[in-house]
Amino acid sequence: LALLHPLGRPPLACAAPPLVLTAWLHVSNACNLDCPYCYVRKSSERMSLATGRSAVAAVFRTAAERGFRQVKLKYAGGEATLHFVLVRQLHDYAMELAERTGIGLREVVLTNGVRLRPADADWLAEQRIKLMISLDGVGELHNRLRPARGRAGFDTFAAVEHTVDRVLLPRGIRPDVSMTVTGLNA
């Protein structure tokens, strides 16, 4: 795509524009885990609906101006599922803009998988929104890297395992897995 070029030489024109414009929407600083490597300062702050709508509109406007055929929105945080109502509202607005502009829409919710409710999973399946779970190992290794916030000894791996086996798979949701590699799990 000619994104990288030697220092001192002018950039080359892109042979063809990328087809998908991806945007990460940081919906909340809140999280139910306390991962030692996390860069997010935990707080109750979250994206307002007005800010979210403005961001989604800007993404679609940019996509239209630059000739992208598809927009991919990633809802993340903190823990995006703690503010699932906001995710749903932003999804509805993104669907409206996708229909209005003719630009395709794909979406992903990034989650730690600890607190995903069956009703939310039903909605994800119905809307065909992809789910990505952060999983940093198996059993105790995961628990050490992803401890529950304010709940010493809580088995976060068992909670994620329950979410996958009892909530997601029965609904046909096969999540992608994201892993942060550290010295403990490398």
Side-chain angles (χ1 to χ4, degrees), residues 39-56:
Y39 60 88
V40 176
R41 278 211 166 94
K42 307 303 185 290
S43 73
S44 61
E45 286 183 296
R46 70 178 182 88
M47 180 182 284
S48 70
L49 178 58
T51 298
R53 287 175 61 96
S54 178
V56 170

mmCIF file with all atom_site columns, all heavy atoms in Angstrom, residues 39-56:
data_model
loop_
_atom_site.group_PDB
_atom_site.id
_atom_site.type_symbol
_atom_site.label_atom_id
_atom_site.label_alt_id
_atom_site.label_comp_id
_atom_site.label_asym_id
_atom_site.label_entity_id
_atom_site.label_seq_id
_atom_site.pdbx_PDB_ins_code
_atom_site.Cartn_x
_atom_site.Cartn_y
_atom_site.Cartn_z
_atom_site.occupancy
_atom_site.B_iso_or_equiv
_atom_site.pdbx_formal_charge
_atom_site.auth_seq_id
_atom_site.auth_comp_id
_atom_site.auth_asym_id
_atom_site.auth_atom_id
_atom_site.pdbx_PDB_model_num
ATOM 1   N N   . TYR A 1 39 ? -2.870  -0.878 30.186 1.00 0.00 ? 39 TYR A N   1
ATOM 2   C CA  . TYR A 1 39 ? -2.530  0.533  30.095 1.00 0.00 ? 39 TYR A CA  1
ATOM 3   C C   . TYR A 1 39 ? -3.701  1.445  30.453 1.00 0.00 ? 39 TYR A C   1
ATOM 4   O O   . TYR A 1 39 ? -3.528  2.649  30.607 1.00 0.00 ? 39 TYR A O   1
ATOM 5   C CB  . TYR A 1 39 ? -2.048  0.873  28.678 1.00 0.00 ? 39 TYR A CB  1
ATOM 6   C CG  . TYR A 1 39 ? -3.093  0.593  27.626 1.00 0.00 ? 39 TYR A CG  1
ATOM 7   C CD1 . TYR A 1 39 ? -4.032  1.548  27.275 1.00 0.00 ? 39 TYR A CD1 1
ATOM 8   C CD2 . TYR A 1 39 ? -3.155  -0.646 26.999 1.00 0.00 ? 39 TYR A CD2 1
ATOM 9   C CE1 . TYR A 1 39 ? -5.011  1.283  26.329 1.00 0.00 ? 39 TYR A CE1 1
ATOM 10  C CE2 . TYR A 1 39 ? -4.116  -0.918 26.051 1.00 0.00 ? 39 TYR A CE2 1
ATOM 11  C CZ  . TYR A 1 39 ? -5.041  0.050  25.726 1.00 0.00 ? 39 TYR A CZ  1
ATOM 12  O OH  . TYR A 1 39 ? -5.999  -0.215 24.792 1.00 0.00 ? 39 TYR A OH  1
ATOM 13  N N   . VAL A 1 40 ? -4.904  0.897  30.604 1.00 0.00 ? 40 VAL A N   1
ATOM 14  C CA  . VAL A 1 40 ? -6.086  1.711  30.876 1.00 0.00 ? 40 VAL A CA  1
ATOM 15  C C   . VAL A 1 40 ? -6.151  2.025  32.373 1.00 0.00 ? 40 VAL A C   1
ATOM 16  O O   . VAL A 1 40 ? -6.127  1.126  33.204 1.00 0.00 ? 40 VAL A O   1
ATOM 17  C CB  . VAL A 1 40 ? -7.377  0.984  30.439 1.00 0.00 ? 40 VAL A CB  1
ATOM 18  C CG1 . VAL A 1 40 ? -8.610  1.803  30.812 1.00 0.00 ? 40 VAL A CG1 1
ATOM 19  C CG2 . VAL A 1 40 ? -7.356  0.703  28.948 1.00 0.00 ? 40 VAL A CG2 1
ATOM 20  N N   . ARG A 1 41 ? -6.250  3.306  32.697 1.00 0.00 ? 41 ARG A N   1
ATOM 21  C CA  . ARG A 1 41 ? -6.474  3.704  34.089 1.00 0.00 ? 41 ARG A CA  1
ATOM 22  C C   . ARG A 1 41 ? -7.943  3.454  34.397 1.00 0.00 ? 41 ARG A C   1
ATOM 23  O O   . ARG A 1 41 ? -8.823  4.094  33.824 1.00 0.00 ? 41 ARG A O   1
ATOM 24  C CB  . ARG A 1 41 ? -6.163  5.182  34.278 1.00 0.00 ? 41 ARG A CB  1
ATOM 25  C CG  . ARG A 1 41 ? -4.717  5.455  34.450 1.00 0.00 ? 41 ARG A CG  1
ATOM 26  C CD  . ARG A 1 41 ? -4.535  6.693  35.353 1.00 0.00 ? 41 ARG A CD  1
ATOM 27  N NE  . ARG A 1 41 ? -3.178  6.767  35.791 1.00 0.00 ? 41 ARG A NE  1
ATOM 28  C CZ  . ARG A 1 41 ? -2.252  7.481  35.170 1.00 0.00 ? 41 ARG A CZ  1
ATOM 29  N NH1 . ARG A 1 41 ? -2.562  8.174  34.105 1.00 0.00 ? 41 ARG A NH1 1
ATOM 30  N NH2 . ARG A 1 41 ? -1.027  7.500  35.626 1.00 0.00 ? 41 ARG A NH2 1
ATOM 31  N N   . LYS A 1 42 ? -8.193  2.525  35.292 1.00 0.00 ? 42 LYS A N   1
ATOM 32  C CA  . LYS A 1 42 ? -9.574  2.142  35.597 1.00 0.00 ? 42 LYS A CA  1
ATOM 33  C C   . LYS A 1 42 ? -10.308 3.285  36.279 1.00 0.00 ? 42 LYS A C   1
ATOM 34  O O   . LYS A 1 42 ? -9.801  3.914  37.204 1.00 0.00 ? 42 LYS A O   1
ATOM 35  C CB  . LYS A 1 42 ? -9.615  0.902  36.507 1.00 0.00 ? 42 LYS A CB  1
ATOM 36  C CG  . LYS A 1 42 ? -8.810  -0.289 36.010 1.00 0.00 ? 42 LYS A CG  1
ATOM 37  C CD  . LYS A 1 42 ? -9.235  -0.747 34.636 1.00 0.00 ? 42 LYS A CD  1
ATOM 38  C CE  . LYS A 1 42 ? -8.546  -1.988 34.170 1.00 0.00 ? 42 LYS A CE  1
ATOM 39  N NZ  . LYS A 1 42 ? -7.155  -1.894 33.837 1.00 0.00 ? 42 LYS A NZ  1
ATOM 40  N N   . SER A 1 43 ? -11.507 3.549  35.783 1.00 0.00 ? 43 SER A N   1
ATOM 41  C CA  . SER A 1 43 ? -12.382 4.561  36.372 1.00 0.00 ? 43 SER A CA  1
ATOM 42  C C   . SER A 1 43 ? -13.790 4.281  35.865 1.00 0.00 ? 43 SER A C   1
ATOM 43  O O   . SER A 1 43 ? -14.006 3.395  35.042 1.00 0.00 ? 43 SER A O   1
ATOM 44  C CB  . SER A 1 43 ? -11.942 5.967  35.960 1.00 0.00 ? 43 SER A CB  1
ATOM 45  O OG  . SER A 1 43 ? -12.263 6.213  34.591 1.00 0.00 ? 43 SER A OG  1
ATOM 46  N N   . SER A 1 44 ? -14.724 5.068  36.333 1.00 0.00 ? 44 SER A N   1
ATOM 47  C CA  . SER A 1 44 ? -16.107 4.902  35.877 1.00 0.00 ? 44 SER A CA  1
ATOM 48  C C   . SER A 1 44 ? -16.374 5.679  34.590 1.00 0.00 ? 44 SER A C   1
ATOM 49  O O   . SER A 1 44 ? -17.488 5.647  34.064 1.00 0.00 ? 44 SER A O   1
ATOM 50  C CB  . SER A 1 44 ? -17.080 5.352  36.972 1.00 0.00 ? 44 SER A CB  1
ATOM 51  O OG  . SER A 1 44 ? -16.855 6.724  37.260 1.00 0.00 ? 44 SER A OG  1
ATOM 52  N N   . GLU A 1 45 ? -15.350 6.353  34.061 1.00 0.00 ? 45 GLU A N   1
ATOM 53  C CA  . GLU A 1 45 ? -15.546 7.128  32.830 1.00 0.00 ? 45 GLU A CA  1
ATOM 54  C C   . GLU A 1 45 ? -15.935 6.223  31.672 1.00 0.00 ? 45 GLU A C   1
ATOM 55  O O   . GLU A 1 45 ? -15.431 5.112  31.545 1.00 0.00 ? 45 GLU A O   1
ATOM 56  C CB  . GLU A 1 45 ? -14.261 7.867  32.451 1.00 0.00 ? 45 GLU A CB  1
ATOM 57  C CG  . GLU A 1 45 ? -13.959 9.059  33.321 1.00 0.00 ? 45 GLU A CG  1
ATOM 58  C CD  . GLU A 1 45 ? -12.727 9.771  32.834 1.00 0.00 ? 45 GLU A CD  1
ATOM 59  O OE1 . GLU A 1 45 ? -11.644 9.146  32.871 1.00 0.00 ? 45 GLU A OE1 1
ATOM 60  O OE2 . GLU A 1 45 ? -12.856 10.927 32.422 1.00 0.00 ? 45 GLU A OE2 1
ATOM 61  N N   . ARG A 1 46 ? -16.855 6.737  30.855 1.00 0.00 ? 46 ARG A N   1
ATOM 62  C CA  . ARG A 1 46 ? -17.248 6.009  29.665 1.00 0.00 ? 46 ARG A CA  1
ATOM 63  C C   . ARG A 1 46 ? -17.573 7.007  28.566 1.00 0.00 ? 46 ARG A C   1
ATOM 64  O O   . ARG A 1 46 ? -17.791 8.188  28.820 1.00 0.00 ? 46 ARG A O   1
ATOM 65  C CB  . ARG A 1 46 ? -18.423 5.091  29.924 1.00 0.00 ? 46 ARG A CB  1
ATOM 66  C CG  . ARG A 1 46 ? -19.734 5.797  30.168 1.00 0.00 ? 46 ARG A CG  1
ATOM 67  C CD  . ARG A 1 46 ? -20.850 4.788  30.361 1.00 0.00 ? 46 ARG A CD  1
ATOM 68  N NE  . ARG A 1 46 ? -22.119 5.435  30.553 1.00 0.00 ? 46 ARG A NE  1
ATOM 69  C CZ  . ARG A 1 46 ? -22.953 5.798  29.575 1.00 0.00 ? 46 ARG A CZ  1
ATOM 70  N NH1 . ARG A 1 46 ? -22.627 5.574  28.315 1.00 0.00 ? 46 ARG A NH1 1
ATOM 71  N NH2 . ARG A 1 46 ? -24.088 6.381  29.836 1.00 0.00 ? 46 ARG A NH2 1
ATOM 72  N N   . MET A 1 47 ? -17.596 6.514  27.363 1.00 0.00 ? 47 MET A N   1
ATOM 73  C CA  . MET A 1 47 ? -17.935 7.339  26.216 1.00 0.00 ? 47 MET A CA  1
ATOM 74  C C   . MET A 1 47 ? -19.420 7.719  26.307 1.00 0.00 ? 47 MET A C   1
ATOM 75  O O   . MET A 1 47 ? -20.257 6.869  26.613 1.00 0.00 ? 47 MET A O   1
ATOM 76  C CB  . MET A 1 47 ? -17.674 6.539  24.939 1.00 0.00 ? 47 MET A CB  1
ATOM 77  C CG  . MET A 1 47 ? -17.992 7.284  23.667 1.00 0.00 ? 47 MET A CG  1
ATOM 78  S SD  . MET A 1 47 ? -17.711 6.232  22.207 1.00 0.00 ? 47 MET A SD  1
ATOM 79  C CE  . MET A 1 47 ? -15.935 6.267  22.105 1.00 0.00 ? 47 MET A CE  1
ATOM 80  N N   . SER A 1 48 ? -19.722 8.963  26.042 1.00 0.00 ? 48 SER A N   1
ATOM 81  C CA  . SER A 1 48 ? -21.128 9.369  26.002 1.00 0.00 ? 48 SER A CA  1
ATOM 82  C C   . SER A 1 48 ? -21.723 8.920  24.667 1.00 0.00 ? 48 SER A C   1
ATOM 83  O O   . SER A 1 48 ? -20.997 8.694  23.691 1.00 0.00 ? 48 SER A O   1
ATOM 84  C CB  . SER A 1 48 ? -21.257 10.883 26.145 1.00 0.00 ? 48 SER A CB  1
ATOM 85  O OG  . SER A 1 48 ? -20.765 11.525 24.968 1.00 0.00 ? 48 SER A OG  1
ATOM 86  N N   . LEU A 1 49 ? -23.022 8.803  24.624 1.00 0.00 ? 49 LEU A N   1
ATOM 87  C CA  . LEU A 1 49 ? -23.683 8.444  23.375 1.00 0.00 ? 49 LEU A CA  1
ATOM 88  C C   . LEU A 1 49 ? -23.395 9.493  22.299 1.00 0.00 ? 49 LEU A C   1
ATOM 89  O O   . LEU A 1 49 ? -23.136 9.148  21.145 1.00 0.00 ? 49 LEU A O   1
ATOM 90  C CB  . LEU A 1 49 ? -25.192 8.278  23.590 1.00 0.00 ? 49 LEU A CB  1
ATOM 91  C CG  . LEU A 1 49 ? -25.999 7.940  22.341 1.00 0.00 ? 49 LEU A CG  1
ATOM 92  C CD1 . LEU A 1 49 ? -25.511 6.651  21.687 1.00 0.00 ? 49 LEU A CD1 1
ATOM 93  C CD2 . LEU A 1 49 ? -27.483 7.837  22.691 1.00 0.00 ? 49 LEU A CD2 1
ATOM 94  N N   . ALA A 1 50 ? -23.408 10.765 22.672 1.00 0.00 ? 50 ALA A N   1
ATOM 95  C CA  . ALA A 1 50 ? -23.148 11.833 21.696 1.00 0.00 ? 50 ALA A CA  1
ATOM 96  C C   . ALA A 1 50 ? -21.739 11.708 21.111 1.00 0.00 ? 50 ALA A C   1
ATOM 97  O O   . ALA A 1 50 ? -21.554 11.823 19.894 1.00 0.00 ? 50 ALA A O   1
ATOM 98  C CB  . ALA A 1 50 ? -23.334 13.202 22.344 1.00 0.00 ? 50 ALA A CB  1
ATOM 99  N N   . THR A 1 51 ? -20.756 11.462 21.956 1.00 0.00 ? 51 THR A N   1
ATOM 100 C CA  . THR A 1 51 ? -19.379 11.291 21.472 1.00 0.00 ? 51 THR A CA  1
ATOM 101 C C   . THR A 1 51 ? -19.279 10.061 20.585 1.00 0.00 ? 51 THR A C   1
ATOM 102 O O   . THR A 1 51 ? -18.642 10.091 19.528 1.00 0.00 ? 51 THR A O   1
ATOM 103 C CB  . THR A 1 51 ? -18.401 11.183 22.661 1.00 0.00 ? 51 THR A CB  1
ATOM 104 O OG1 . THR A 1 51 ? -18.459 12.409 23.396 1.00 0.00 ? 51 THR A OG1 1
ATOM 105 C CG2 . THR A 1 51 ? -16.984 10.917 22.190 1.00 0.00 ? 51 THR A CG2 1
ATOM 106 N N   . GLY A 1 52 ? -19.902 8.971  20.998 1.00 0.00 ? 52 GLY A N   1
ATOM 107 C CA  . GLY A 1 52 ? -19.877 7.741  20.205 1.00 0.00 ? 52 GLY A CA  1
ATOM 108 C C   . GLY A 1 52 ? -20.506 7.927  18.842 1.00 0.00 ? 52 GLY A C   1
ATOM 109 O O   . GLY A 1 52 ? -19.957 7.486  17.825 1.00 0.00 ? 52 GLY A O   1
ATOM 110 N N   . ARG A 1 53 ? -21.650 8.585  18.812 1.00 0.00 ? 53 ARG A N   1
ATOM 111 C CA  . ARG A 1 53 ? -22.324 8.834  17.530 1.00 0.00 ? 53 ARG A CA  1
ATOM 112 C C   . ARG A 1 53 ? -21.459 9.723  16.635 1.00 0.00 ? 53 ARG A C   1
ATOM 113 O O   . ARG A 1 53 ? -21.358 9.493  15.431 1.00 0.00 ? 53 ARG A O   1
ATOM 114 C CB  . ARG A 1 53 ? -23.704 9.437  17.754 1.00 0.00 ? 53 ARG A CB  1
ATOM 115 C CG  . ARG A 1 53 ? -24.719 8.442  18.272 1.00 0.00 ? 53 ARG A CG  1
ATOM 116 C CD  . ARG A 1 53 ? -26.054 9.111  18.601 1.00 0.00 ? 53 ARG A CD  1
ATOM 117 N NE  . ARG A 1 53 ? -26.674 9.747  17.454 1.00 0.00 ? 53 ARG A NE  1
ATOM 118 C CZ  . ARG A 1 53 ? -27.615 9.203  16.675 1.00 0.00 ? 53 ARG A CZ  1
ATOM 119 N NH1 . ARG A 1 53 ? -28.048 7.999  16.941 1.00 0.00 ? 53 ARG A NH1 1
ATOM 120 N NH2 . ARG A 1 53 ? -28.118 9.872  15.667 1.00 0.00 ? 53 ARG A NH2 1
ATOM 121 N N   . SER A 1 54 ? -20.827 10.721 17.230 1.00 0.00 ? 54 SER A N   1
ATOM 122 C CA  . SER A 1 54 ? -19.951 11.611 16.469 1.00 0.00 ? 54 SER A CA  1
ATOM 123 C C   . SER A 1 54 ? -18.766 10.834 15.895 1.00 0.00 ? 54 SER A C   1
ATOM 124 O O   . SER A 1 54 ? -18.382 11.038 14.735 1.00 0.00 ? 54 SER A O   1
ATOM 125 C CB  . SER A 1 54 ? -19.467 12.738 17.380 1.00 0.00 ? 54 SER A CB  1
ATOM 126 O OG  . SER A 1 54 ? -18.595 13.587 16.693 1.00 0.00 ? 54 SER A OG  1
ATOM 127 N N   . ALA A 1 55 ? -18.195 9.950  16.689 1.00 0.00 ? 55 ALA A N   1
ATOM 128 C CA  . ALA A 1 55 ? -17.058 9.140  16.226 1.00 0.00 ? 55 ALA A CA  1
ATOM 129 C C   . ALA A 1 55 ? -17.476 8.209  15.096 1.00 0.00 ? 55 ALA A C   1
ATOM 130 O O   . ALA A 1 55 ? -16.781 8.089  14.084 1.00 0.00 ? 55 ALA A O   1
ATOM 131 C CB  . ALA A 1 55 ? -16.473 8.337  17.393 1.00 0.00 ? 55 ALA A CB  1
ATOM 132 N N   . VAL A 1 56 ? -18.612 7.543  15.254 1.00 0.00 ? 56 VAL A N   1
ATOM 133 C CA  . VAL A 1 56 ? -19.098 6.627  14.216 1.00 0.00 ? 56 VAL A CA  1
ATOM 134 C C   . VAL A 1 56 ? -19.386 7.406  12.928 1.00 0.00 ? 56 VAL A C   1
ATOM 135 O O   . VAL A 1 56 ? -19.026 6.964  11.829 1.00 0.00 ? 56 VAL A O   1
ATOM 136 C CB  . VAL A 1 56 ? -20.337 5.843  14.701 1.00 0.00 ? 56 VAL A CB  1
ATOM 137 C CG1 . VAL A 1 56 ? -20.986 5.071  13.563 1.00 0.00 ? 56 VAL A CG1 1
ATOM 138 C CG2 . VAL A 1 56 ? -19.949 4.895  15.840 1.00 0.00 ? 56 VAL A CG2 1
#
